[in-house]
Amino acid sequence: EEINIEISKVVDFPYTNAVKPKGPFGLWGKATWEHMPSRKIVTHRHDKALPTNKITTTKYTCLTFLPKNLIEQFSKLANVYFLIIGLLQIFPAISTSNGVPTIFFPLSVVILISAVKDLYEDLKRKKSDAEENNSKVECLVGDVWKTKRWAEVLVGEIIRVNRDEYFPADILVLATSEPKGLCYIETKNLDGETNLKHKYAHKDIRDDFRNNDACHLAKSIFEYEGPNPYLYQFQGSITNSKGEKIPLDNNNFILRGSSLRNSEWVIGVVAYSGPHSKIMLNSVKARAKRSKIEKMMNQCIITIFIVQIILCIFSALYYNAWYQQNRDDIPYLEIDQNGTTENSASYILLVRYGNWMLIFTNFVPISLMMSLEMVRFLQAGLISLDKEMTTGDLRTIIQSSNLNEEIGQIQYIFSDKTGTLTKNLMEFKKISIGGISYGENKDMSPADLKALPAVENVDFEDSQFFADMKDSQNSDKIMKTLQHIALCHTIICEEKNGVRNYNASSPDELALVNWAKFSGCEYLGINEKNEMALKIKDQVEYFLLLNVLEFTSARKRMSVIVKSLESAQIFLLCKGADSILLERMNTESPDFAVTNKNLEDYANIGLRTLLLAERVIPEEEYKAWAKRYNEASTAIKNREKLVEDLQEEIEKDMELVGATAIEDKLQDEVGETIATLKETGIKVWVLTGDKIETAINIALSCKLFDTTLEKIIIDGKTQEDVKESMKKAVSLHHACIDQNRHFALVISGDALIPVSYTHLRAHETPEHLVCRLLLEKKKDEIVVSGSLRVVLLPVA
């Protein structure tokens, strides 16, 4: 009854989510996202005061094209220069063309060509906007689903997105086709990541919205933060039909531009629409772009104009002095000797100054400006039609022909590794268990391999592993490792037509779980009771999934807490980067030193490594921790910090289980591409999350490094270690400069934080750099600062 009264209050009164414009009659003062209030809506009740879902990325409209384009045209100093010359030509006394502004015709042609080019490029943006705005999505109208255009969707509206479709707005997930409310989305349009990410509908609201009637009748109050550009942050709450206030976070929130994968449908309520969606708040408004040549030309024109003014003043003064001395000897000029105006020194000075300005007009040839605009426009067309610059059906698209010449002046390329230099297609290669490295040999026959389960993403043919698994001192450790790999993940198992498929948010997890299946420990999925099933030697074992401690770029690890239904023991299973787990493990294990050596060997041949660890948690300790963890997970304030602290608390004193090695295959012809770029003198810097040894090996594989380059490595855990490493690096660096040797810099993420690169001056920057990035919380950027005037191409 109380919740119905509360809902009726919201339903009966107008929404107050919109911000009123400032100024008289609201004519100006458009609110920025910083000034927008938190929102409160009721599901299936639209807020018509907020913007619709229509987006526009164009620079112009029909009304603004002429004034805005003219302003843009005359921001080019050459056009301003010729406009001044044209105005001077109008005055008969100083005109060299009988008062006819002859310069206006070629100036008009130049402006017209630029305007047509800008209009054409803006029409392409308008066409792209129209395609997106006219895309279709299913919306709940009454109690039936009807198709609407994206542009018509409003905040508060309930929509349904089907498999492989894109989300038209930022939405809160209400229900999905999966029984547990999970769904998988791809965000490559937002961040370039091809890995699938899982989102879910909260268990306390998904049953209210699973079908048409439920969606139509359900009324829940949704309170959440105002629009902001932070893609990975969201906080809010929803009050369900039972009157329970349920906290929500980024796991319940899907961004516009994401696409639905591996799930049949998702139902959600629109939270942010159109210009208020996070992707639009992150987008940069279309603006005039100036190339390096254009900026240089502006500077040259300023210099030429100053020189021209000085010459004209000198010439006018000289003529004035000459005229005063020779006025009686020049009757052929037909100057009225008795006229006071024509004989005035100030009049003569001003008129002759104007004459000389027009005579020296060719200092800046207008034909140059016309040629430049035409060449850019035609060159853009040639680039887009070039068959050598196509991939399949995709051709090169020129968004702004003003920047054509910048392509040939690139001096630095900044690139990430995964998915850019590599394919992000993982293959399981090797594993270290009990200090023994398996996968070193490939001695299994085709018949042996045919007898094993058929899986993808696995390249493992070591017969010794299967022999040891059956009968050896290492067999128990092998089975424990297989069980760890088959349980420590977030993969969803989907069965269709008798075939079991794994839906993974990470290609690493898919490769690991496929290898466990290949080796005889198959993950069968998770049931309604949250029990994970494993098939080991034709027997099925069940483990109750208690908690999942998600992987993040800051944590560099993920964990699951499970309870064996057979032994009733509670296990924490963790996998992650060795640099992170070593601090949280018992390093006194007899296998520790050998496993660490195996990890280094894997890294030296360019494989991605993961360390596996576990911990048995006493039941009383777990109950106390779980109570605090659940409270932290539902906290409204400081939720992230509280959850992170409790994750740190439980992930400690772990025992070594093993270490895995996975290969991320290089993109086709990446080595040849980088070698060609290097031949042109372009310096390439690469960012990666791998171990330093792996990073160096990948750099050699893709020909970023070669054997002739001197490798300068900066690394260290403490500030003192890093400073000592820096001293050695600077000494080696100066030696390379003195001996005229090429060098490459390899720097760890730990070393980025305490040390600035004041030792590397502008003319001494490394030819190539590999940076191993270790992300800290909220620190996910590398800022390159300084006074280098270079053209940089970032690739991700």
Side-chain angles (χ1 to χ4, degrees):
E1 186 177 348
E2 289 177 2
I3 184 61
N4 288 332
I5 292 171
E6 181 64 25
I7 290 173
S8 69
K9 287 180 183 177
V10 182
V11 171
D12 292 343
F13 292 94
Y15 280 138
T16 57
N17 299 318
V19 179
K20 293 181 179 178
K22 298 176 183 178
F25 310 108
L27 293 177
W28 62 79
K30 186 178 179 181
T32 58
W33 65 266
E34 294 96 331
H35 303 105
M36 293 184 188
S38 298
R39 293 183 174 179
K40 184 176 184 179
I41 63 172
V42 174
T43 55
H44 204 29
R45 182 186 165 221
H46 311 163
D47 190 341
K48 296 182 180 179
L50 290 172
T52 65
N53 202 40
K54 183 178 181 180
I55 61 152
T56 175
T57 60
T58 57
K59 280 199 287 186
Y60 311 110
T61 64
C62 293
L63 293 175
T64 62
F65 175 73
L66 190 59
K68 286 182 74 172
N69 192 257
L70 283 175
I71 291 170
E72 189 175 313
Q73 297 292 349
F74 285 103
S75 66
K76 301 173 184 177
L77 293 182
N79 291 344
V80 174
Y81 173 83
F82 292 118
L83 178 65
I84 293 170
I85 296 300
L87 292 174
L88 289 175
Q89 287 180 333
I90 294 173
F91 298 99
I94 61 175
S95 177
T96 57
S97 56
N98 294 322
V100 179
T102 55
I103 198 72
F104 278 175
F105 176 72
L107 177 61
S108 300
V109 172
V110 170
I111 290 174
L112 182 63
I113 291 172
S114 296
V116 168
K117 184 190 70 172
D118 291 343
L119 179 63
Y120 173 71
E121 290 175 351
D122 211 48
L123 285 174
K124 288 196 293 183
R125 296 188 193 98
K126 188 176 181 64
K127 182 181 177 182
S128 176
D129 291 345
E131 288 175 359
E132 186 153 335
N133 288 327
N134 292 324
S135 299
K136 305 295 184 181
V137 66
E138 291 182 348
C139 300
L140 189 65
V141 179
D143 59 352
V144 295
W145 295 104
K146 291 188 177 180
T147 302
K148 276 189 179 183
R149 295 189 306 119
W150 279 22
E152 298 171 338
V153 173
L154 297 170
V155 170
E157 193 154 11
I158 293 178
I159 65 172
R160 182 171 67 186
V161 176
N162 297 311
R163 191 187 191 109
D164 296 330
E165 292 181 349
Y166 288 92
F167 288 85
D170 295 349
I171 70 164
L172 167 72
V173 184
L174 298 176
T176 75
S177 57
E178 302 299 320
K180 291 189 171 294
L182 275 172
C183 66
Y184 282 92
I185 63 164
E186 187 178 66
T187 59
K188 66 181 179 183
N189 283 353
L190 305 177
D191 53 20
E193 288 289 336
T194 54
N195 294 345
L196 298 183
K197 299 175 176 63
H198 60 267
K199 303 286 183 176
Y200 64 89
H202 198 283
K203 59 184 177 64
D204 294 325
I205 62 171
R206 61 179 178 242
D207 291 336
D208 293 342
F209 297 92
R210 286 199 64 83
N211 55 58
N212 297 12
D213 292 334
C215 288
H216 173 59
L217 296 173
K219 290 288 188 292
S220 300
I221 300 174
F222 182 21
E223 298 177 73
Y224 56 102
E225 60 194 5
N228 62 71
Y230 306 121
L231 293 177
Y232 307 111
Q233 294 181 23
F234 178 78
Q235 285 194 342
S237 65
I238 192 166
T239 306
N240 65 9
S241 57
K242 299 175 184 177
E244 300 167 334
K245 194 167 187 176
I246 302 153
L248 304 169
D249 58 24
N250 198 48
N251 291 316
N252 315 116
F253 189 71
I254 300 179
L255 299 175
R256 177 188 179 119
S258 306
S259 58
L260 182 63
R261 297 283 187 262
N262 300 340
S263 302
E264 293 306 315
W265 50 261
V266 165
I267 293 174
V269 59
V270 176
Y272 305 120
S273 60
H276 290 173
S277 59
K278 290 180 183 278
I279 188 172
M280 292 306 295
L281 290 174
N282 274 280
S283 66
V284 179
K285 192 73 176 173
R287 63 190 190 280
K289 296 180 179 179
R290 299 278 181 266
S291 68
K292 201 173 180 182
I293 284 182
E294 201 166 313
K295 292 174 184 174
M296 184 179 69
M297 282 176 56
N298 279 347
Q299 293 172 352
C300 290
I301 288 169
I302 291 172
T303 305
I304 290 170
F305 193 56
I306 291 171
V307 171
Q308 189 173 346
I309 288 172
I310 294 170
L311 285 174
C312 290
I313 290 172
F314 170 78
S315 299
L317 288 172
Y318 184 83
Y319 174 84
N320 200 8
W322 177 85
Y323 177 76
Q324 297 303 331
Q325 291 179 2
N326 299 281
R327 58 187 299 179
D328 297 331
D329 301 327
I330 51 173
Y332 55 87
L333 292 181
E334 298 181 354
I335 297 173
D336 185 2
Q337 300 292 334
N338 299 317
T340 55
T341 302
E342 290 192 5
N343 289 282
S344 166
S346 57
Y347 175 81
I348 293 171
L349 188 66
L350 186 62
V351 170
R352 298 303 169 232
Y353 173 79
N355 294 150
W356 284 111
M357 280 293 291
L358 296 177
I359 291 169
F360 291 151
T361 299
N362 288 336
F363 276 24
V364 181
I366 195 166
S367 59
L368 171 66
M369 315 309 298
M370 192 182 300
S371 301
L372 188 61
E373 292 297 334
M374 287 297 296
V375 165
R376 281 174 169 169
F377 187 70
L378 294 174
Q379 188 185 42
L382 289 173
I383 291 173
S384 62
L385 295 173
D386 191 346
K387 292 181 180 179
E388 295 295 321
M389 296 186 69
T390 58
T391 301
D393 295 332
L394 296 176
R395 60 184 178 85
T396 305
I397 297 173
I398 309 299
Q399 300 284 13
S400 176
S401 59
N402 288 342
L403 302 180
N404 290 355
E405 60 268 28
E406 296 288 276
I407 300 171
Q409 299 181 50
I410 293 166
Q411 294 163 268
Y412 286 84
I413 292 178
F414 283 12
S415 171
D416 71 340
K417 190 205 76 174
T418 303
T420 304
L421 300 183
T422 62
K423 294 181 178 179
N424 205 21
L425 294 174
M426 309 301 174
E427 256 190 4
F428 188 94
K429 287 286 187 179
K430 298 182 180 184
I431 189 165
S432 175
I433 303 174
I436 301 173
S437 177
Y438 297 105
E440 303 293 341
N441 303 316
K442 288 196 171 187
D443 53 1
M444 295 179 69
S445 67
D448 293 335
L449 293 173
K450 195 172 182 180
L452 297 171
V455 295
E456 296 178 344
N457 310 99
V458 174
D459 180 16
F460 188 86
E461 301 175 13
D462 193 338
S463 60
Q464 185 62 44
F465 171 80
F466 294 98
D468 287 356
M469 184 169 62
K470 291 176 182 177
D471 184 23
S472 76
Q473 294 179 344
N474 216 26
S475 60
D476 289 342
K477 292 180 180 179
I478 290 175
M479 294 311 300
K480 180 194 287 188
T481 305
L482 287 172
Q483 186 175 283
H484 183 293
I485 290 174
L487 290 171
C488 187
H489 56 79
T490 56
I491 284 177
I492 296 296
C493 191
E494 187 179 44
E495 193 163 336
K496 284 188 177 180
N497 301 322
V499 179
R500 186 174 292 110
N501 297 313
Y502 292 144
N503 295 327
S505 60
S506 161
D508 298 77
E509 284 195 338
L510 185 61
L512 288 168
V513 175
N514 272 337
W515 177 78
K517 177 182 176 180
F518 176 78
S519 302
C521 182
E522 183 179 2
Y523 172 60
L524 301 178
I526 187 166
N527 62 23
E528 292 289 335
K529 298 177 183 178
N530 227 29
E531 294 170 350
M532 303 177 78
L534 300 185
K535 186 179 179 181
I536 307 171
K537 296 179 180 178
D538 296 326
Q539 292 185 346
V540 179
E541 295 184 20
Y542 291 93
F543 296 81
L544 179 63
L545 178 62
L546 300 174
N547 299 92
V548 177
L549 312 185
E550 298 278 0
F551 173 90
T552 67
S553 55
R555 280 168 43 78
K556 287 281 188 181
R557 64 190 185 279
M558 74 86 62
S559 302
V560 296
I561 300 176
V562 296
K563 182 177 182 178
S564 170
L565 298 186
E566 183 179 331
S567 65
Q569 282 188 305
I570 297 174
F571 297 93
L572 169 77
L573 307 177
C574 183
K575 65 182 179 189
D578 57 312
S579 58
I580 299 296
L581 290 197
L582 288 176
E583 304 168 1
R584 295 164 174 81
M585 286 176 56
N586 175 16
T587 57
E588 296 177 0
S589 167
D591 303 327
F592 186 82
V594 184
T595 302
N596 208 31
K597 174 66 168 59
N598 289 337
L599 277 172
E600 291 179 8
D601 293 340
Y602 299 156
N604 285 332
I605 57 173
L607 300 179
R608 294 163 61 99
T609 58
L610 281 176
L611 208 53
L612 310 178
E614 72 170 14
R615 178 188 170 209
V616 178
I617 308 175
E619 188 167 352
E620 292 303 318
E621 180 186 342
Y622 172 75
K623 286 180 179 179
W625 177 87
K627 183 180 178 182
R628 289 183 293 135
Y629 188 74
N630 290 335
E631 290 172 355
S633 300
T634 56
I636 300 297
K637 293 184 178 179
N638 299 322
R639 186 188 307 172
E640 290 183 11
K641 179 70 168 61
L642 293 171
V643 167
E644 186 179 306
D645 289 344
L646 285 164
Q647 289 173 341
E648 288 281 348
E649 180 183 314
I650 201 73
E651 292 173 325
K652 63 180 183 181
D653 302 329
M654 294 183 285
E655 298 294 331
L656 174 68
V657 174
T660 65
I662 294 174
E663 180 185 20
D664 188 2
K665 291 186 174 296
L666 290 176
Q667 297 275 13
D668 296 336
E669 300 183 12
V670 68
E672 292 82 350
T673 303
I674 289 181
T676 304
L677 291 171
K678 285 168 62 179
E679 286 176 8
T680 66
I682 294 175
K683 297 182 169 107
V684 183
W685 291 16
V686 174
L687 191 67
T688 175
D690 295 318
K691 291 166 67 70
I692 280 184
E693 295 83 2
T694 307
I696 292 173
N697 192 274
I698 291 290
L700 288 166
S701 301
C702 66
K703 299 183 182 178
L704 178 66
F705 289 179
D706 57 49
T707 53
T708 63
L709 283 176
E710 184 71 47
K711 289 180 280 294
I712 301 175
I713 299 175
I714 300 175
D715 190 17
K717 292 291 183 185
T718 65
Q719 190 165 352
E720 289 72 24
D721 292 341
V722 174
K723 284 184 177 178
E724 188 62 34
S725 179
M726 277 292 289
K727 288 178 183 176
K728 294 178 182 177
V730 170
S731 175
L732 184 56
H733 165 247
H734 288 312
C736 290
I737 297 294
D738 294 339
Q739 298 169 22
N740 198 25
R741 284 187 291 154
H742 297 292
F743 66 96
L745 177 64
V746 183
I747 184 162
S748 72
D750 295 321
L752 279 173
I753 300 161
V755 175
S756 62
Y757 308 135
T758 52
H759 298 83
L760 295 174
R761 307 189 188 284
H763 64 283
E764 300 170 346
T765 51
E767 191 161 319
H768 307 290
L769 176 143
V770 170
C771 176
R772 179 190 179 275
L773 179 61
L774 180 63
L775 292 176
E776 287 196 333
K777 185 170 178 60
K778 307 271 188 193
K779 189 178 182 68
D780 55 359
E781 294 177 351
I782 287 185
V783 180
V784 180
S785 61
S787 58
L788 286 176
R789 301 280 181 178
V790 297
V791 181
L792 166 68
L793 171 68
V795 184

